[in-house]
């Protein structure tokens, strides 16, 4: 069997293509990583290469020692993943100290580098692994989320309420809300640490004027989280563009009714 016929590769490639078709990945924008299960690693191992050299992560993440991650490549385009997966994505092995990685499959095996946000992704994976069976970290550039970051105060309560009170599914899909960061230089340690700090409390973090990071247990749940946030942001932008006053919205009492009926735990700090 070709490695690309394995379910984990097909799911990963599908998410990349779904994001491209949504228009969230201009040029080489965005990145995706997935922490593989033991069974998935075993299935892929016959295709691994020993050519890759060990590269320092610049940070120690001991709870990720020995893990394997599917990752997009630096400078690679999401639109090309479905066309030439082995050139645009790869599998990275983390060493036994959680301090270095090497590419064992893909990325022109193994000459190319993982996404420039790889250390940032791994710091977020490290946080989410402690919280449960989180395996996916997805960063994209959804247009309406970015637009809202110019119009709303950059705090989690304001941003979350704008989304919760616009579309009924939002409090169900992300009951803890979304975190928000002011503009920061991408690709560096500072934004990686700030994002991973938000991931202690949320499954989504808005990067002002840039995009959003989402974490989830599966490809579908993670893409669904991103899609739900962006759709609510789109509706909010349509309301703002209409120039008309908003006559009604989802109230706090209705949010609490959703909490009760759907048996979720809303972040009550974001209620008025």
């Amino acid at each position: 069997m070709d490695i690309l016929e394995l379910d984990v590769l097909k799911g990963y490639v599908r998410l990349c293509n779904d994001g491209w078709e949504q228009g969230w990945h201009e040029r080489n924008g965005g990145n995706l990583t997935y922490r593989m299960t033991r069974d998935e690693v075993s299935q892929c191992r016959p295709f691994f290469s020993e050519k890759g050299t060990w590269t320092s992560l610049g940070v120690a993440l001991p709870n990720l020692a020995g893990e394997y991650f599917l990752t997009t490549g630096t400078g690679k385009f999401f639109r090309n993943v479905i066309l030439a997966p082995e050139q645009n994505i790869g599998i990275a092995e983390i060493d036994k100290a959680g301090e270095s990685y090497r590419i064992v499959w893909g990325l022109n095996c193994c000459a190319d580098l993982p996404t420039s946000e790889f250390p940032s992704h791994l710091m977020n994976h490290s946080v989410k692994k402690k919280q449960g069976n989180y395996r996916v970290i997805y960063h994209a550039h959804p247009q309406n989320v970015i637009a809202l970051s110019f119009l709303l105060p950059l705090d989690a309560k304001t941003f979350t309420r704008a989304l919760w009170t616009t579309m009924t599914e939002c409090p169900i899909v992300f009951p803890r809300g979304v975190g928000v960061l002011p503009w920061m230089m991408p690709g560096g340690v500072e934004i990686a640490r700030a994002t991973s700090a938000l991931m202690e409390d949320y499954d989504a973090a808005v990067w002002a004027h840039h995009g959003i990071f989402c974490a989830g247990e599966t490809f579908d749940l993670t893409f669904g989280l991103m899609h739900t946030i962006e759709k609510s942001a789109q509706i909010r932008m349509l309301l703002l563009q209409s120039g008309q006053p908003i006559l009604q919205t989802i109230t706090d009492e209705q949010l609490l009714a959703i909490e009760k009926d759907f048996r979720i735990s809303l972040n009550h700090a974001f209620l008025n």
Side-chain angles (χ1 to χ4, degrees):
M1 178 184 287
D2 188 321
I3 190 173
L4 297 174
E5 293 301 314
L6 296 174
D7 286 344
V8 64
L9 267 296
K10 290 194 289 187
Y12 186 94
V13 170
R14 179 190 173 190
L15 194 158
C16 288
N17 196 59
D18 285 347
W20 160 250
E21 291 186 346
Q22 289 295 324
W24 299 343
H25 298 285
E26 74 294 336
R27 201 173 181 274
N28 62 317
N31 24 69
L32 172 67
T33 55
Y34 171 75
R35 184 169 61 87
M36 301 172 70
T37 68
R38 289 183 180 180
D39 286 346
E40 289 163 349
V41 173
S42 295
Q43 292 170 357
C44 293
R45 193 175 296 280
F47 304 95
F48 287 173
S49 167
E50 299 294 325
K51 295 179 182 178
T53 57
W54 291 103
T55 302
S56 173
L57 289 168
V59 61
L61 301 168
N63 72 326
L64 298 183
E67 297 274 17
Y68 289 79
F69 290 87
L70 271 162
T71 177
T72 44
T74 189
K76 304 296 185 179
F77 293 17
F78 264 60
R79 70 178 303 183
N80 292 333
V81 170
I82 198 169
L83 302 175
E86 292 188 48
Q87 296 177 25
N88 293 282
I89 65 175
I91 296 175
E93 176 188 5
I94 309 302
D95 71 0
K96 294 180 180 180
E99 297 177 354
S100 300
Y101 75 90
R102 66 174 177 176
I103 301 299
V104 295
W105 175 85
L107 292 175
N108 289 316
C109 200
C110 302
D112 294 337
L113 299 174
T115 170
S116 60
E117 300 282 0
F118 195 54
S120 179
H121 275 246
L122 293 186
M123 289 175 71
N124 284 278
H125 277 289
S126 177
V127 169
K128 302 311 283 187
K129 183 180 179 181
K130 299 171 187 175
Q131 297 181 0
N133 194 34
Y134 287 85
R135 294 193 173 275
V136 186
I137 298 290
Y138 180 32
H139 170 54
H141 301 162
Q143 299 91 314
N144 293 283
V145 170
I146 295 170
L148 275 186
S149 75
F150 289 90
L151 300 174
L152 296 179
L154 297 177
D155 68 84
K157 180 176 181 178
T158 301
F159 228 96
T160 297
R161 287 187 60 82
L163 300 171
W164 275 1
T165 60
T166 298
M167 193 169 76
T168 300
E169 284 75 10
C170 289
I172 301 167
V173 174
F174 48 99
R176 291 192 291 176
V178 298
V180 182
L181 286 180
W183 187 90
M184 300 176 72
M185 184 64 68
V189 174
E190 184 180 3
I191 195 169
R193 288 175 176 164
T195 306
S196 60
L198 288 180
M199 284 294 175
E200 296 279 358
D201 298 316
Y202 310 104
D203 289 342
V206 173
W207 284 7
H209 324 322
H210 184 154
I212 188 167
F213 254 71
C214 287
E217 296 182 0
T218 67
F219 295 129
D220 283 347
L221 288 174
T222 311
F223 183 85
L225 173 59
M226 181 88 69
H227 202 188
T228 304
I229 292 171
E230 169 62 3
K231 188 169 186 178
S232 185
Q234 181 182 23
I235 296 169
R236 178 62 65 164
M237 286 300 300
L238 289 170
L239 293 171
L240 292 170
Q241 291 165 10
S242 75
Q244 300 298 311
I246 296 175
L247 300 181
Q248 55 273 324
T249 188
I250 301 170
T251 66
D252 279 20
E253 290 75 17
Q254 291 166 337
L255 289 172
L256 289 170
I258 292 170
E259 178 183 48
K260 180 179 179 181
D261 280 13
F262 282 85
R263 299 179 182 179
I264 56 176
S265 297
L266 285 177
N267 185 345
H268 282 215
F270 290 166
L271 299 176
N272 287 332

